[in-house]
């Protein structure tokens, strides 16, 4: 987005990931932030993009994050997010994420209909949902869901 002139602010919970981001995208501002408790004021952003940022969260945690995103969005603001879609397995336990010992994570495969109900119940209007099959031999072989939702005016 920044390469086409959009002013961007990137965040991550891990300071190490923020530092990595700065190396790859020197024209983008980066900050450490907690998705559950963002330090930005109400109605601060026109849009929020969160690709695969919710894949390690339970449904209850996801609802909390969606409420926080809605809070920081301006009226008619957009929220674009993606996750691994539920097919057969509900989660995947990874003991050594990126090959690092002690970095165990649980990845959740999320039900598209349940996520749709969640965003709608929180005051978002679903603009579009795209389901994508995985790229063979490049990424984990699960379907992905991409949601574009809009904050409804109060």
């Amino acid at each position: 987005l920044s390469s086409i002139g959009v002013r961007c602010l990137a965040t991550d919970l891990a300071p190490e990931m923020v530092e990595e981001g700065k190396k790859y995208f020197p024209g983008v501002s980066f900050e450490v932030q907690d998705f559950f408790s963002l330090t930005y004021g109400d109605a601060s952003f026109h849009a929020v993009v969160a690709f695969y940022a919710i894949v390690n969260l339970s449904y209850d945690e996801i609802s909390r994050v969606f409420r926080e995103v809605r809070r920081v969005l301006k009226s008619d603001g957009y929220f674009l997010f993606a996750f691994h879609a539920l097919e057969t397995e509900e989660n995947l336990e990874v003991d050594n994420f990126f090959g690092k010992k002690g970095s165990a994570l649980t990845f959740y495969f999320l039900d598209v209909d349940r996520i749709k109900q969640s965003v709608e119940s929180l005051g978002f209007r679903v603009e579009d949902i795209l389901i994508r099959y995985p790229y063979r031999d490049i990424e984990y072989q699960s379907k992905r869901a991409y949601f574009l939702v809009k904050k409804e005016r109060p």
Side-chain angles (χ1 to χ4, degrees), residues 54-106:
I54 62 171
V55 297
N56 306 109
L57 305 178
S58 69
Y59 287 107
D60 288 340
E61 291 170 321
I62 291 168
S63 290
R64 287 178 42 213
V65 165
F66 287 172
R67 274 193 290 280
E68 187 66 356
V69 168
R70 189 176 191 291
R71 182 188 67 76
V72 300
L73 278 175
K74 295 180 181 290
S75 285
D76 294 330
Y78 287 96
F79 180 28
L80 175 63
F81 62 97
F83 56 88
H84 294 270
L86 177 65
E87 291 182 87
T88 56
E89 58 187 331
E90 292 187 13
N91 61 50
L92 174 67
E93 301 291 334
V94 177
D95 293 328
N96 296 309
F97 191 56
F98 285 125
K100 294 194 178 201
K101 274 194 159 185
S103 58
L105 285 173
T106 300

